[in-house]
Amino acid sequence: MKTALANLEKLKNGVRNIPDFPIKGIQFKDVTTLFKSTELLAIASKTLTDEYRGLGITKVIGIESRGFIMAPILALNLQAGFIPIRKEGKLPADVYEEEYEKEYGKDKIQIHKDALTSEDIILIHDDLLATGGTMHAAYNLINRIGVKKIYINFLIELEDLKGREIFPKDTDIRSLIKYSI
Ligand code: AMP
């Protein structure tokens, strides 16, 4: 228990904060400093894998682009497949898509139509939960396709933005590191 808490503290200290990036007022949480450390990458990988082991997860979905770093690692560790959710126009085969509101204008994410089956138990991963708009769109997309169960994971949650509150109450949302901003 002590080690687990110490490890989470190490991860938290490993994320670099960049004030006013990309625009004034944003405290940007830079995960590249965490990933470049062999020790921190191993801690993140083991902690997340332990969190989701034994749940029967069949596919780990990563959201472009920072979700593409941990998601394949988790997929491999959990003996699951990896599926990308990408921005509009990047996936080559037939897609389902979901449009969502961003701070300025709209955005679209897509997934291959043949990526999932109704038997899949899904873990969707992204690096960070802010307002929740991006993950909510991914959640809606997967829900529309119809799978057995959806788990949602983030490395980082910006708690003050209350992103988790836009999901249905019983949604399984877990994050490793929490910050108030
Ligand atoms: P949101 O849809 O508001 O939850 O924003 C989540 C997405 O935007 C994630 O893919 C993050 O990578 C990125 N993001 C939003 N806010 C930040 C932040 N303060 N630091 C780093 N990434 C962020």
Side-chain angles (χ1 to χ4, degrees), residues 26-29 66 126-135 158:
I26 299 288
Q27 299 290 329
F28 191 86
K29 303 298 178 205
R66 282 185 291 270
D126 201 2
D127 68 325
L128 185 139
L129 172 62
T131 65
T134 312
M135 184 56 86
L158 304 182

mmCIF file of all heavy atoms in Angstrom, residues 26-29 66 126-135 158, ligand 1:
data_model
loop_
_atom_site.group_PDB
_atom_site.id
_atom_site.type_symbol
_atom_site.label_atom_id
_atom_site.label_comp_id
_atom_site.label_asym_id
_atom_site.label_seq_id
_atom_site.Cartn_x
_atom_site.Cartn_y
_atom_site.Cartn_z
ATOM 1 N N ILE A 26 -4.271 27.985 -19.865
ATOM 2 C CA ILE A 26 -4.269 26.509 -19.793
ATOM 3 C C ILE A 26 -2.997 26.046 -19.083
ATOM 4 O O ILE A 26 -1.896 26.473 -19.400
ATOM 5 C CB ILE A 26 -4.319 25.877 -21.210
ATOM 6 C CG1 ILE A 26 -5.600 26.294 -21.955
ATOM 7 C CG2 ILE A 26 -4.204 24.351 -21.136
ATOM 8 C CD1 ILE A 26 -6.877 25.675 -21.458
ATOM 9 N N GLN A 27 -3.177 25.154 -18.098
ATOM 10 C CA GLN A 27 -2.033 24.496 -17.455
ATOM 11 C C GLN A 27 -1.862 23.163 -18.183
ATOM 12 O O GLN A 27 -2.576 22.199 -17.895
ATOM 13 C CB GLN A 27 -2.331 24.239 -15.962
ATOM 14 C CG GLN A 27 -2.579 25.496 -15.159
ATOM 15 C CD GLN A 27 -1.323 26.330 -14.984
ATOM 16 O OE1 GLN A 27 -0.213 25.791 -14.939
ATOM 17 N NE2 GLN A 27 -1.483 27.633 -14.904
ATOM 18 N N PHE A 28 -0.950 23.106 -19.121
ATOM 19 C CA PHE A 28 -0.812 21.906 -19.947
ATOM 20 C C PHE A 28 -0.029 20.836 -19.212
ATOM 21 O O PHE A 28 1.082 21.049 -18.745
ATOM 22 C CB PHE A 28 -0.117 22.243 -21.267
ATOM 23 C CG PHE A 28 -0.185 21.125 -22.270
ATOM 24 C CD1 PHE A 28 -1.284 20.999 -23.100
ATOM 25 C CD2 PHE A 28 0.838 20.198 -22.365
ATOM 26 C CE1 PHE A 28 -1.361 19.959 -24.019
ATOM 27 C CE2 PHE A 28 0.770 19.151 -23.278
ATOM 28 C CZ PHE A 28 -0.336 19.030 -24.107
ATOM 29 N N LYS A 29 -0.629 19.646 -19.094
ATOM 30 C CA LYS A 29 0.027 18.517 -18.424
ATOM 31 C C LYS A 29 0.788 17.715 -19.476
ATOM 32 O O LYS A 29 0.179 17.026 -20.301
ATOM 33 C CB LYS A 29 -1.003 17.624 -17.728
ATOM 34 C CG LYS A 29 -1.873 18.355 -16.720
ATOM 35 C CD LYS A 29 -1.070 18.935 -15.585
ATOM 36 C CE LYS A 29 -1.950 19.697 -14.609
ATOM 37 N NZ LYS A 29 -1.234 20.722 -13.857
ATOM 38 N N ARG A 66 -2.494 11.120 -27.938
ATOM 39 C CA ARG A 66 -1.734 10.729 -26.737
ATOM 40 C C ARG A 66 -2.280 9.463 -26.090
ATOM 41 O O ARG A 66 -1.603 8.829 -25.284
ATOM 42 C CB ARG A 66 -1.633 11.890 -25.755
ATOM 43 C CG ARG A 66 -0.579 12.910 -26.182
ATOM 44 C CD ARG A 66 -0.415 13.989 -25.152
ATOM 45 N NE ARG A 66 -1.571 14.844 -25.061
ATOM 46 C CZ ARG A 66 -1.745 15.947 -25.782
ATOM 47 N NH1 ARG A 66 -0.815 16.332 -26.632
ATOM 48 N NH2 ARG A 66 -2.822 16.676 -25.655
ATOM 49 N N ASP A 126 -7.422 7.329 -22.623
ATOM 50 C CA ASP A 126 -6.817 8.569 -23.126
ATOM 51 C C ASP A 126 -5.892 9.101 -22.038
ATOM 52 O O ASP A 126 -5.988 8.691 -20.882
ATOM 53 C CB ASP A 126 -7.889 9.598 -23.497
ATOM 54 C CG ASP A 126 -7.356 10.651 -24.472
ATOM 55 O OD1 ASP A 126 -6.181 10.571 -24.884
ATOM 56 O OD2 ASP A 126 -8.127 11.568 -24.828
ATOM 57 N N ASP A 127 -5.010 10.007 -22.419
ATOM 58 C CA ASP A 127 -4.038 10.473 -21.417
ATOM 59 C C ASP A 127 -4.686 11.322 -20.339
ATOM 60 O O ASP A 127 -4.307 11.229 -19.173
ATOM 61 C CB ASP A 127 -2.861 11.221 -22.077
ATOM 62 C CG ASP A 127 -3.265 12.557 -22.687
ATOM 63 O OD1 ASP A 127 -4.387 12.653 -23.213
ATOM 64 O OD2 ASP A 127 -2.467 13.505 -22.636
ATOM 65 N N LEU A 128 -5.697 12.126 -20.722
ATOM 66 C CA LEU A 128 -6.159 13.137 -19.767
ATOM 67 C C LEU A 128 -7.656 13.431 -19.891
ATOM 68 O O LEU A 128 -8.179 13.542 -20.993
ATOM 69 C CB LEU A 128 -5.346 14.410 -20.024
ATOM 70 C CG LEU A 128 -5.553 15.581 -19.093
ATOM 71 C CD1 LEU A 128 -4.220 16.245 -18.770
ATOM 72 C CD2 LEU A 128 -6.520 16.603 -19.684
ATOM 73 N N LEU A 129 -8.317 13.546 -18.736
ATOM 74 C CA LEU A 129 -9.724 13.961 -18.687
ATOM 75 C C LEU A 129 -9.784 15.426 -18.270
ATOM 76 O O LEU A 129 -9.390 15.780 -17.162
ATOM 77 C CB LEU A 129 -10.491 13.100 -17.676
ATOM 78 C CG LEU A 129 -11.929 13.506 -17.341
ATOM 79 C CD1 LEU A 129 -12.834 13.440 -18.570
ATOM 80 C CD2 LEU A 129 -12.503 12.636 -16.225
ATOM 81 N N ALA A 130 -10.264 16.263 -19.199
ATOM 82 C CA ALA A 130 -10.462 17.683 -18.880
ATOM 83 C C ALA A 130 -11.971 17.921 -18.792
ATOM 84 O O ALA A 130 -12.585 17.542 -17.792
ATOM 85 C CB ALA A 130 -9.770 18.559 -19.919
ATOM 86 N N THR A 131 -12.589 18.470 -19.831
ATOM 87 C CA THR A 131 -14.050 18.670 -19.794
ATOM 88 C C THR A 131 -14.812 17.374 -20.065
ATOM 89 O O THR A 131 -16.013 17.282 -19.802
ATOM 90 C CB THR A 131 -14.502 19.688 -20.854
ATOM 91 O OG1 THR A 131 -14.235 19.132 -22.152
ATOM 92 C CG2 THR A 131 -13.776 21.002 -20.706
ATOM 93 N N GLY A 132 -14.124 16.393 -20.639
ATOM 94 C CA GLY A 132 -14.742 15.095 -20.907
ATOM 95 C C GLY A 132 -15.337 14.968 -22.300
ATOM 96 O O GLY A 132 -15.779 13.892 -22.691
ATOM 97 N N GLY A 133 -15.328 16.055 -23.069
ATOM 98 C CA GLY A 133 -15.968 16.041 -24.386
ATOM 99 C C GLY A 133 -15.426 14.966 -25.321
ATOM 100 O O GLY A 133 -16.199 14.268 -25.991
ATOM 101 N N THR A 134 -14.106 14.821 -25.359
ATOM 102 C CA THR A 134 -13.485 13.854 -26.271
ATOM 103 C C THR A 134 -13.874 12.428 -25.886
ATOM 104 O O THR A 134 -14.317 11.644 -26.730
ATOM 105 C CB THR A 134 -11.940 13.996 -26.218
ATOM 106 O OG1 THR A 134 -11.592 15.367 -26.328
ATOM 107 C CG2 THR A 134 -11.283 13.191 -27.312
ATOM 108 N N MET A 135 -13.715 12.100 -24.613
ATOM 109 C CA MET A 135 -14.023 10.730 -24.175
ATOM 110 C C MET A 135 -15.513 10.432 -24.268
ATOM 111 O O MET A 135 -15.912 9.320 -24.584
ATOM 112 C CB MET A 135 -13.521 10.518 -22.742
ATOM 113 C CG MET A 135 -13.708 9.119 -22.222
ATOM 114 S SD MET A 135 -12.936 7.834 -23.252
ATOM 115 C CE MET A 135 -11.263 7.800 -22.609
ATOM 116 N N LEU A 158 -8.238 16.075 -14.442
ATOM 117 C CA LEU A 158 -8.289 17.442 -13.895
ATOM 118 C C LEU A 158 -9.641 17.563 -13.185
ATOM 119 O O LEU A 158 -10.661 17.881 -13.795
ATOM 120 C CB LEU A 158 -8.141 18.485 -15.010
ATOM 121 C CG LEU A 158 -6.876 18.361 -15.875
ATOM 122 C CD1 LEU A 158 -6.813 19.478 -16.915
ATOM 123 C CD2 LEU A 158 -5.611 18.363 -15.013
HETATM 124 P P1 AMP B 1 -11.507 17.141 -22.956
HETATM 125 O O1 AMP B 1 -12.234 16.658 -24.176
HETATM 126 O O2 AMP B 1 -11.821 18.555 -22.584
HETATM 127 O O3 AMP B 1 -11.665 16.185 -21.785
HETATM 128 O O4 AMP B 1 -9.952 17.183 -23.335
HETATM 129 C C1 AMP B 1 -9.235 16.014 -23.374
HETATM 130 C C2 AMP B 1 -8.235 15.977 -24.484
HETATM 131 O O5 AMP B 1 -7.537 17.215 -24.648
HETATM 132 C C3 AMP B 1 -7.199 14.916 -24.170
HETATM 133 O O6 AMP B 1 -6.978 14.170 -25.338
HETATM 134 C C4 AMP B 1 -5.969 15.686 -23.738
HETATM 135 O O7 AMP B 1 -4.828 15.149 -24.337
HETATM 136 C C5 AMP B 1 -6.196 17.132 -24.186
HETATM 137 N N1 AMP B 1 -6.096 18.108 -23.055
HETATM 138 C C6 AMP B 1 -7.081 18.895 -22.563
HETATM 139 N N2 AMP B 1 -6.658 19.671 -21.563
HETATM 140 C C7 AMP B 1 -5.353 19.393 -21.381
HETATM 141 C C8 AMP B 1 -4.337 19.853 -20.464
HETATM 142 N N3 AMP B 1 -4.575 20.779 -19.524
HETATM 143 N N4 AMP B 1 -3.108 19.295 -20.555
HETATM 144 C C9 AMP B 1 -2.847 18.354 -21.493
HETATM 145 N N5 AMP B 1 -3.745 17.873 -22.373
HETATM 146 C C10 AMP B 1 -4.995 18.384 -22.337
#
